[in-house]
Amino acid sequence: MKLYYHPLSPFARKVFIVAEQLGVKLETQMVDLLAGGGQTPDFLRLNPQGKVPTLVDGDFSLWESNAIVQYLAEKAPASSLLPNDARSRADILRWQFWESSSWAPACMVFVYERLLKPKMGQGEIDPGKLKRGEEKFRPLAKMLDDHLSTHAWLVGDGLTLADLSVAPILMYAEAAAYPMEGYPHLAGWFGKIQQLPAWLATAQPPA
Ligand SMILES: N[C@@H](CCC(=O)N[C@@H](CS)C(=O)NCC(=O)O)C(=O)O
């Protein structure tokens, strides 16, 4: 299986973390998004949205990081990352849908304004956007923090795909100054994730 990725993408990092945790080896292909690599006809045939991560397994091409990590976990030998009961699986999907519809878009406001905009020369930081970003981010962080005040992990008693889907966007929490103060349980949970060998092993993406 080959993963098309960009080294700065938190969604690609998610796939690398899960693959590492499952012991799945991936071939890799860097897509130079900043140089238009996502818009070439060859890449658009694999992913008509021109985005990474994109996984290719034989004649099957799959995009959306949460779908990709579900596929990797389904294909690997049984793993506690994806328990085999309907409630746990639905609960994991619930967190994954929440991550892609709410959590990641809220975090990406800070990533775009503070990291990507300057990197791509797209103008000044917009304080209004940061303010609205904070208004979006805080209730979501509070909800996560409340959940984690009574649960060690997002689903069940151990690490699952839910944790590994929700956490990667926090890789930019410090650099993009997400408003993280006031969420001690969220910080404690993220601290545990940052100690995982799979998190540490993926800090440097493939060259
Ligand atoms: N919801 C998607 C987000 C993927 C995404 O936005 N990828 C960015 C890189 S972090 C991308 O490829 N952007 C290129 C573009 O939008 O043209 C996922 O989880 O895979």
Side-chain angles (χ1 to χ4, degrees):
M1 287 184 281
K2 184 189 271 195
L3 189 74
Y4 292 78
Y5 75 100
H6 185 275
L8 300 179
S9 168
F11 309 105
R13 173 111 185 252
K14 179 193 300 183
V15 178
F16 285 126
I17 292 169
V18 170
E20 185 75 25
Q21 190 74 27
L22 292 168
V24 170
K25 285 268 167 284
L26 295 172
E27 276 179 67
T28 57
Q29 172 74 55
M30 208 276 258
V31 179
D32 193 347
L33 295 174
L34 301 181
Q39 297 302 318
T40 64
D42 281 353
F43 189 66
L44 289 170
R45 265 191 289 280
L46 301 176
N47 181 347
Q49 300 208 95
K51 293 188 184 202
V52 299
T54 295
L55 182 82
V56 174
D57 184 13
D59 60 1
F60 180 50
S61 164
L62 184 63
W63 35 272
E64 282 298 325
S65 58
N66 290 327
I68 295 172
V69 297
Q70 283 279 343
Y71 183 69
L72 293 183
E74 288 281 1
K75 280 192 63 136
S79 156
S80 53
L81 286 187
L82 187 58
N84 200 15
D85 67 281
R87 284 196 184 185
S88 301
R89 285 181 174 233
D91 206 354
I92 288 169
L93 283 175
R94 175 236 302 269
W95 284 107
Q96 291 184 311
F97 286 124
W98 176 80
E99 182 265 351
S100 68
S101 64
S102 302
W103 180 235
C107 296
M108 283 303 289
V109 173
F110 306 102
V111 175
Y112 180 66
E113 287 297 321
R114 296 204 170 107
L115 303 179
L116 294 179
K117 242 181 170 178
K119 191 172 175 62
M120 300 190 301
Q122 291 188 347
E124 297 295 306
I125 292 175
D126 181 336
K129 292 229 170 87
L130 287 178
K131 184 167 174 288
R132 285 192 292 284
E134 181 158 355
E135 286 162 6
K136 266 168 76 174
F137 178 91
R138 285 206 174 272
L140 303 173
K142 164 102 173 66
M143 191 274 288
L144 252 187
D145 192 64
D146 285 348
H147 182 79
L148 291 164
S149 71
T150 53
H151 300 80
W153 302 99
L154 290 180
V155 173
D157 297 330
L159 180 77
T160 66
L161 283 188
D163 304 287
L164 298 184
S165 299
V166 170
I169 194 74
L170 291 173
M171 68 186 271
Y172 290 124
E174 210 175 299
Y178 303 178
M180 290 286 284
E181 69 287 352
Y183 310 111
H185 307 289
L186 171 56
W189 166 83
F190 183 47
K192 284 190 302 190
I193 303 258
Q194 287 175 297
Q195 297 308 312
L196 293 173
W199 182 278
L200 297 167
T202 55
Q204 294 299 326

